[in-house]
Amino acid sequence: MKNAKNISISSVILALCFIFLYLASILPTSRLSCLCLASAGICIVIAECGAKWGFITSLVLSILSWVLLPDKTVGILFILFFSYYPLIKLFAERRGRLSEWIIKALYFLLITVAGLFILKTIGLVPEKIQAYFKSMPLLLSFTIVVLAVECIFDFALSIVISYYTSKIMPKIRKNGRKDF
């Protein structure tokens, strides 16, 4: 019975997240907003069903985004940055404050380097942008910008999670999980 409930919850949220991803791939603007909303959906799955179901949802959503989205760069962005970040966030926030931020920053920096390497390998990074990464001051400023974006995204995701677990979850069910 509990598995059926977890499957239904994660499936409905997965469908909603895929709609956000599809919108990100066809709309000329609001791509990051749609990607963030899809990531927030994974947080809801984790809050309602647990980390295992959050991982399964992330995995299925990553596969669907790669196979079905018309714009593969949106799929790559989602897979690298947004799909597994809620799980990293859950893992990191169970540690101390300093360890939490170190884990999150390392994840974002490693994924950024991997993402740039993948995009460069398949030819999606223009030559002008590649030239910027040969300069150390520009590389340092890029790293600072990436970390600032990560902090803003993490803060926004924390607000969404807090609002969901304190206001919406209690109204939906009486004994909701509190993984976050």
Side-chain angles (χ1 to χ4, degrees), residues 85 88-107 150 154 158:
Y85 188 75
I88 298 296
K89 181 175 177 60
L90 175 67
F91 170 75
E93 288 181 354
R94 291 183 176 171
R95 308 290 183 262
R97 209 32 121 171
L98 180 63
S99 299
E100 167 189 342
W101 285 105
I102 290 172
I103 291 168
K104 291 175 183 178
L106 284 175
Y107 172 77
E150 183 263 334
D154 184 73
S158 294

PDB file of all heavy atoms in Angstrom, residues 85 88-107 150 154 158:
ATOM      1  N   TYR A  85      20.752  17.853  -7.264  1.00  0.00           N
ATOM      2  CA  TYR A  85      21.063  18.825  -6.212  1.00  0.00           C
ATOM      3  C   TYR A  85      20.173  18.673  -4.976  1.00  0.00           C
ATOM      4  O   TYR A  85      20.688  18.800  -3.848  1.00  0.00           O
ATOM      5  CB  TYR A  85      21.015  20.269  -6.742  1.00  0.00           C
ATOM      6  CG  TYR A  85      21.516  21.236  -5.712  1.00  0.00           C
ATOM      7  CD1 TYR A  85      22.875  21.334  -5.444  1.00  0.00           C
ATOM      8  CD2 TYR A  85      20.648  22.018  -4.968  1.00  0.00           C
ATOM      9  CE1 TYR A  85      23.354  22.192  -4.472  1.00  0.00           C
ATOM     10  CE2 TYR A  85      21.120  22.877  -4.001  1.00  0.00           C
ATOM     11  CZ  TYR A  85      22.473  22.960  -3.755  1.00  0.00           C
ATOM     12  OH  TYR A  85      22.939  23.801  -2.780  1.00  0.00           O
ATOM     13  N   ILE A  88      21.864  16.084  -2.922  1.00  0.00           N
ATOM     14  CA  ILE A  88      23.101  16.608  -2.351  1.00  0.00           C
ATOM     15  C   ILE A  88      22.780  17.555  -1.196  1.00  0.00           C
ATOM     16  O   ILE A  88      23.424  17.526  -0.146  1.00  0.00           O
ATOM     17  CB  ILE A  88      23.935  17.341  -3.438  1.00  0.00           C
ATOM     18  CG1 ILE A  88      24.347  16.377  -4.554  1.00  0.00           C
ATOM     19  CG2 ILE A  88      25.139  18.050  -2.848  1.00  0.00           C
ATOM     20  CD1 ILE A  88      25.263  15.263  -4.124  1.00  0.00           C
ATOM     21  N   LYS A  89      21.765  18.373  -1.379  1.00  0.00           N
ATOM     22  CA  LYS A  89      21.326  19.313  -0.342  1.00  0.00           C
ATOM     23  C   LYS A  89      20.886  18.555   0.910  1.00  0.00           C
ATOM     24  O   LYS A  89      21.270  18.911   2.024  1.00  0.00           O
ATOM     25  CB  LYS A  89      20.194  20.174  -0.885  1.00  0.00           C
ATOM     26  CG  LYS A  89      19.653  21.212   0.070  1.00  0.00           C
ATOM     27  CD  LYS A  89      18.622  22.067  -0.627  1.00  0.00           C
ATOM     28  CE  LYS A  89      17.987  23.072   0.283  1.00  0.00           C
ATOM     29  NZ  LYS A  89      18.917  24.010   0.884  1.00  0.00           N
ATOM     30  N   LEU A  90      20.104  17.509   0.732  1.00  0.00           N
ATOM     31  CA  LEU A  90      19.645  16.697   1.860  1.00  0.00           C
ATOM     32  C   LEU A  90      20.831  16.085   2.594  1.00  0.00           C
ATOM     33  O   LEU A  90      20.912  16.146   3.825  1.00  0.00           O
ATOM     34  CB  LEU A  90      18.690  15.610   1.363  1.00  0.00           C
ATOM     35  CG  LEU A  90      18.212  14.597   2.398  1.00  0.00           C
ATOM     36  CD1 LEU A  90      17.322  15.273   3.417  1.00  0.00           C
ATOM     37  CD2 LEU A  90      17.478  13.463   1.718  1.00  0.00           C
ATOM     38  N   PHE A  91      21.765  15.509   1.844  1.00  0.00           N
ATOM     39  CA  PHE A  91      22.951  14.891   2.429  1.00  0.00           C
ATOM     40  C   PHE A  91      23.802  15.936   3.162  1.00  0.00           C
ATOM     41  O   PHE A  91      24.239  15.711   4.284  1.00  0.00           O
ATOM     42  CB  PHE A  91      23.768  14.203   1.326  1.00  0.00           C
ATOM     43  CG  PHE A  91      25.119  13.739   1.763  1.00  0.00           C
ATOM     44  CD1 PHE A  91      25.252  12.605   2.551  1.00  0.00           C
ATOM     45  CD2 PHE A  91      26.261  14.437   1.402  1.00  0.00           C
ATOM     46  CE1 PHE A  91      26.509  12.178   2.959  1.00  0.00           C
ATOM     47  CE2 PHE A  91      27.505  14.026   1.804  1.00  0.00           C
ATOM     48  CZ  PHE A  91      27.638  12.888   2.588  1.00  0.00           C
ATOM     49  N   ALA A  92      24.039  17.087   2.505  1.00  0.00           N
ATOM     50  CA  ALA A  92      24.929  18.105   3.072  1.00  0.00           C
ATOM     51  C   ALA A  92      24.338  18.760   4.319  1.00  0.00           C
ATOM     52  O   ALA A  92      25.076  19.073   5.257  1.00  0.00           O
ATOM     53  CB  ALA A  92      25.232  19.169   2.019  1.00  0.00           C
ATOM     54  N   GLU A  93      23.033  18.970   4.337  1.00  0.00           N
ATOM     55  CA  GLU A  93      22.422  19.680   5.465  1.00  0.00           C
ATOM     56  C   GLU A  93      22.298  18.816   6.718  1.00  0.00           C
ATOM     57  O   GLU A  93      21.926  19.311   7.772  1.00  0.00           O
ATOM     58  CB  GLU A  93      21.072  20.261   5.048  1.00  0.00           C
ATOM     59  CG  GLU A  93      21.262  21.434   4.110  1.00  0.00           C
ATOM     60  CD  GLU A  93      19.979  22.085   3.669  1.00  0.00           C
ATOM     61  OE1 GLU A  93      18.888  21.565   3.987  1.00  0.00           O
ATOM     62  OE2 GLU A  93      20.073  23.113   2.977  1.00  0.00           O
ATOM     63  N   ARG A  94      22.627  17.559   6.599  1.00  0.00           N
ATOM     64  CA  ARG A  94      22.678  16.703   7.789  1.00  0.00           C
ATOM     65  C   ARG A  94      24.041  16.783   8.470  1.00  0.00           C
ATOM     66  O   ARG A  94      24.251  16.187   9.511  1.00  0.00           O
ATOM     67  CB  ARG A  94      22.360  15.256   7.403  1.00  0.00           C
ATOM     68  CG  ARG A  94      20.921  15.075   6.999  1.00  0.00           C
ATOM     69  CD  ARG A  94      20.601  13.654   6.698  1.00  0.00           C
ATOM     70  NE  ARG A  94      19.179  13.515   6.407  1.00  0.00           N
ATOM     71  CZ  ARG A  94      18.631  12.416   5.940  1.00  0.00           C
ATOM     72  NH1 ARG A  94      19.364  11.359   5.702  1.00  0.00           N
ATOM     73  NH2 ARG A  94      17.344  12.369   5.705  1.00  0.00           N
ATOM     74  N   ARG A  95      24.974  17.504   7.858  1.00  0.00           N
ATOM     75  CA  ARG A  95      26.304  17.718   8.412  1.00  0.00           C
ATOM     76  C   ARG A  95      26.323  19.065   9.124  1.00  0.00           C
ATOM     77  O   ARG A  95      25.333  19.759   9.184  1.00  0.00           O
ATOM     78  CB  ARG A  95      27.355  17.729   7.292  1.00  0.00           C
ATOM     79  CG  ARG A  95      27.318  16.539   6.358  1.00  0.00           C
ATOM     80  CD  ARG A  95      27.789  15.287   7.086  1.00  0.00           C
ATOM     81  NE  ARG A  95      27.845  14.127   6.228  1.00  0.00           N
ATOM     82  CZ  ARG A  95      26.895  13.210   6.149  1.00  0.00           C
ATOM     83  NH1 ARG A  95      25.786  13.329   6.831  1.00  0.00           N
ATOM     84  NH2 ARG A  95      27.048  12.142   5.405  1.00  0.00           N
ATOM     85  N   GLY A  96      27.475  19.449   9.603  1.00  0.00           N
ATOM     86  CA  GLY A  96      27.633  20.766  10.221  1.00  0.00           C
ATOM     87  C   GLY A  96      27.540  21.869   9.185  1.00  0.00           C
ATOM     88  O   GLY A  96      27.617  21.637   7.987  1.00  0.00           O
ATOM     89  N   ARG A  97      27.385  23.108   9.646  1.00  0.00           N
ATOM     90  CA  ARG A  97      27.193  24.254   8.755  1.00  0.00           C
ATOM     91  C   ARG A  97      28.359  24.419   7.775  1.00  0.00           C
ATOM     92  O   ARG A  97      28.155  24.640   6.595  1.00  0.00           O
ATOM     93  CB  ARG A  97      27.052  25.490   9.630  1.00  0.00           C
ATOM     94  CG  ARG A  97      26.254  26.642   9.181  1.00  0.00           C
ATOM     95  CD  ARG A  97      25.096  26.382   8.335  1.00  0.00           C
ATOM     96  NE  ARG A  97      23.874  26.871   8.934  1.00  0.00           N
ATOM     97  CZ  ARG A  97      22.744  26.905   8.288  1.00  0.00           C
ATOM     98  NH1 ARG A  97      22.671  26.500   7.054  1.00  0.00           N
ATOM     99  NH2 ARG A  97      21.665  27.304   8.858  1.00  0.00           N
ATOM    100  N   LEU A  98      29.584  24.318   8.266  1.00  0.00           N
ATOM    101  CA  LEU A  98      30.750  24.483   7.396  1.00  0.00           C
ATOM    102  C   LEU A  98      30.845  23.342   6.388  1.00  0.00           C
ATOM    103  O   LEU A  98      31.056  23.580   5.192  1.00  0.00           O
ATOM    104  CB  LEU A  98      32.030  24.580   8.235  1.00  0.00           C
ATOM    105  CG  LEU A  98      33.326  24.766   7.460  1.00  0.00           C
ATOM    106  CD1 LEU A  98      33.295  26.096   6.697  1.00  0.00           C
ATOM    107  CD2 LEU A  98      34.519  24.734   8.401  1.00  0.00           C
ATOM    108  N   SER A  99      30.671  22.126   6.864  1.00  0.00           N
ATOM    109  CA  SER A  99      30.718  20.968   5.962  1.00  0.00           C
ATOM    110  C   SER A  99      29.617  21.056   4.906  1.00  0.00           C
ATOM    111  O   SER A  99      29.831  20.683   3.749  1.00  0.00           O
ATOM    112  CB  SER A  99      30.546  19.664   6.744  1.00  0.00           C
ATOM    113  OG  SER A  99      31.566  19.509   7.675  1.00  0.00           O
ATOM    114  N   GLU A 100      28.465  21.539   5.311  1.00  0.00           N
ATOM    115  CA  GLU A 100      27.339  21.687   4.386  1.00  0.00           C
ATOM    116  C   GLU A 100      27.710  22.562   3.201  1.00  0.00           C
ATOM    117  O   GLU A 100      27.503  22.193   2.043  1.00  0.00           O
ATOM    118  CB  GLU A 100      26.152  22.290   5.143  1.00  0.00           C
ATOM    119  CG  GLU A 100      25.031  22.790   4.297  1.00  0.00           C
ATOM    120  CD  GLU A 100      24.006  23.575   5.107  1.00  0.00           C
ATOM    121  OE1 GLU A 100      23.963  23.454   6.338  1.00  0.00           O
ATOM    122  OE2 GLU A 100      23.234  24.325   4.469  1.00  0.00           O
ATOM    123  N   TRP A 101      28.275  23.728   3.473  1.00  0.00           N
ATOM    124  CA  TRP A 101      28.613  24.661   2.398  1.00  0.00           C
ATOM    125  C   TRP A 101      29.787  24.177   1.570  1.00  0.00           C
ATOM    126  O   TRP A 101      29.843  24.410   0.357  1.00  0.00           O
ATOM    127  CB  TRP A 101      28.849  26.057   2.951  1.00  0.00           C
ATOM    128  CG  TRP A 101      27.550  26.694   3.304  1.00  0.00           C
ATOM    129  CD1 TRP A 101      27.032  26.879   4.556  1.00  0.00           C
ATOM    130  CD2 TRP A 101      26.558  27.174   2.393  1.00  0.00           C
ATOM    131  NE1 TRP A 101      25.787  27.446   4.472  1.00  0.00           N
ATOM    132  CE2 TRP A 101      25.473  27.641   3.155  1.00  0.00           C
ATOM    133  CE3 TRP A 101      26.478  27.255   1.007  1.00  0.00           C
ATOM    134  CZ2 TRP A 101      24.326  28.187   2.585  1.00  0.00           C
ATOM    135  CZ3 TRP A 101      25.332  27.803   0.430  1.00  0.00           C
ATOM    136  CH2 TRP A 101      24.275  28.253   1.221  1.00  0.00           C
ATOM    137  N   ILE A 102      30.732  23.487   2.195  1.00  0.00           N
ATOM    138  CA  ILE A 102      31.863  22.936   1.438  1.00  0.00           C
ATOM    139  C   ILE A 102      31.374  21.869   0.465  1.00  0.00           C
ATOM    140  O   ILE A 102      31.767  21.851  -0.708  1.00  0.00           O
ATOM    141  CB  ILE A 102      32.940  22.380   2.400  1.00  0.00           C
ATOM    142  CG1 ILE A 102      33.633  23.525   3.125  1.00  0.00           C
ATOM    143  CG2 ILE A 102      33.956  21.528   1.642  1.00  0.00           C
ATOM    144  CD1 ILE A 102      34.572  23.085   4.224  1.00  0.00           C
ATOM    145  N   ILE A 103      30.502  20.975   0.928  1.00  0.00           N
ATOM    146  CA  ILE A 103      29.968  19.919   0.065  1.00  0.00           C
ATOM    147  C   ILE A 103      29.186  20.523  -1.100  1.00  0.00           C
ATOM    148  O   ILE A 103      29.363  20.129  -2.254  1.00  0.00           O
ATOM    149  CB  ILE A 103      29.086  18.948   0.877  1.00  0.00           C
ATOM    150  CG1 ILE A 103      29.940  18.133   1.848  1.00  0.00           C
ATOM    151  CG2 ILE A 103      28.282  18.025  -0.049  1.00  0.00           C
ATOM    152  CD1 ILE A 103      29.144  17.359   2.871  1.00  0.00           C
ATOM    153  N   LYS A 104      28.324  21.489  -0.808  1.00  0.00           N
ATOM    154  CA  LYS A 104      27.519  22.108  -1.861  1.00  0.00           C
ATOM    155  C   LYS A 104      28.391  22.855  -2.868  1.00  0.00           C
ATOM    156  O   LYS A 104      28.177  22.760  -4.080  1.00  0.00           O
ATOM    157  CB  LYS A 104      26.487  23.062  -1.262  1.00  0.00           C
ATOM    158  CG  LYS A 104      25.393  22.373  -0.485  1.00  0.00           C
ATOM    159  CD  LYS A 104      24.505  23.408   0.172  1.00  0.00           C
ATOM    160  CE  LYS A 104      23.437  22.800   1.025  1.00  0.00           C
ATOM    161  NZ  LYS A 104      22.608  23.816   1.694  1.00  0.00           N
ATOM    162  N   ALA A 105      29.381  23.600  -2.385  1.00  0.00           N
ATOM    163  CA  ALA A 105      30.257  24.357  -3.280  1.00  0.00           C
ATOM    164  C   ALA A 105      31.089  23.420  -4.149  1.00  0.00           C
ATOM    165  O   ALA A 105      31.222  23.644  -5.365  1.00  0.00           O
ATOM    166  CB  ALA A 105      31.163  25.280  -2.471  1.00  0.00           C
ATOM    167  N   LEU A 106      31.628  22.372  -3.547  1.00  0.00           N
ATOM    168  CA  LEU A 106      32.402  21.403  -4.335  1.00  0.00           C
ATOM    169  C   LEU A 106      31.540  20.729  -5.394  1.00  0.00           C
ATOM    170  O   LEU A 106      31.983  20.544  -6.533  1.00  0.00           O
ATOM    171  CB  LEU A 106      33.030  20.346  -3.414  1.00  0.00           C
ATOM    172  CG  LEU A 106      34.248  20.792  -2.635  1.00  0.00           C
ATOM    173  CD1 LEU A 106      34.703  19.693  -1.679  1.00  0.00           C
ATOM    174  CD2 LEU A 106      35.385  21.184  -3.565  1.00  0.00           C
ATOM    175  N   TYR A 107      30.321  20.378  -5.026  1.00  0.00           N
ATOM    176  CA  TYR A 107      29.413  19.764  -6.007  1.00  0.00           C
ATOM    177  C   TYR A 107      29.188  20.706  -7.182  1.00  0.00           C
ATOM    178  O   TYR A 107      29.326  20.313  -8.343  1.00  0.00           O
ATOM    179  CB  TYR A 107      28.082  19.403  -5.337  1.00  0.00           C
ATOM    180  CG  TYR A 107      27.031  18.944  -6.326  1.00  0.00           C
ATOM    181  CD1 TYR A 107      27.071  17.669  -6.856  1.00  0.00           C
ATOM    182  CD2 TYR A 107      26.017  19.800  -6.734  1.00  0.00           C
ATOM    183  CE1 TYR A 107      26.120  17.253  -7.769  1.00  0.00           C
ATOM    184  CE2 TYR A 107      25.065  19.391  -7.645  1.00  0.00           C
ATOM    185  CZ  TYR A 107      25.107  18.117  -8.159  1.00  0.00           C
ATOM    186  OH  TYR A 107      24.169  17.712  -9.069  1.00  0.00           O
ATOM    187  N   GLU A 150      24.928  29.494  -6.999  1.00  0.00           N
ATOM    188  CA  GLU A 150      24.618  28.314  -6.176  1.00  0.00           C
ATOM    189  C   GLU A 150      24.004  28.731  -4.848  1.00  0.00           C
ATOM    190  O   GLU A 150      23.040  28.128  -4.378  1.00  0.00           O
ATOM    191  CB  GLU A 150      25.891  27.491  -5.949  1.00  0.00           C
ATOM    192  CG  GLU A 150      25.651  26.207  -5.174  1.00  0.00           C
ATOM    193  CD  GLU A 150      25.930  26.322  -3.687  1.00  0.00           C
ATOM    194  OE1 GLU A 150      26.734  27.176  -3.294  1.00  0.00           O
ATOM    195  OE2 GLU A 150      25.319  25.557  -2.923  1.00  0.00           O
ATOM    196  N   ASP A 154      20.327  27.742  -3.733  1.00  0.00           N
ATOM    197  CA  ASP A 154      20.156  26.975  -2.501  1.00  0.00           C
ATOM    198  C   ASP A 154      19.215  27.694  -1.540  1.00  0.00           C
ATOM    199  O   ASP A 154      18.356  27.062  -0.918  1.00  0.00           O
ATOM    200  CB  ASP A 154      21.520  26.753  -1.841  1.00  0.00           C
ATOM    201  CG  ASP A 154      21.413  25.886  -0.615  1.00  0.00           C
ATOM    202  OD1 ASP A 154      21.192  24.669  -0.769  1.00  0.00           O
ATOM    203  OD2 ASP A 154      21.532  26.424   0.507  1.00  0.00           O
ATOM    204  N   SER A 158      15.638  26.338  -0.314  1.00  0.00           N
ATOM    205  CA  SER A 158      15.354  26.209   1.122  1.00  0.00           C
ATOM    206  C   SER A 158      14.024  26.867   1.476  1.00  0.00           C
ATOM    207  O   SER A 158      13.254  26.337   2.285  1.00  0.00           O
ATOM    208  CB  SER A 158      16.465  26.835   1.954  1.00  0.00           C
ATOM    209  OG  SER A 158      17.654  26.113   1.803  1.00  0.00           O
TER     210      SER A 158
END
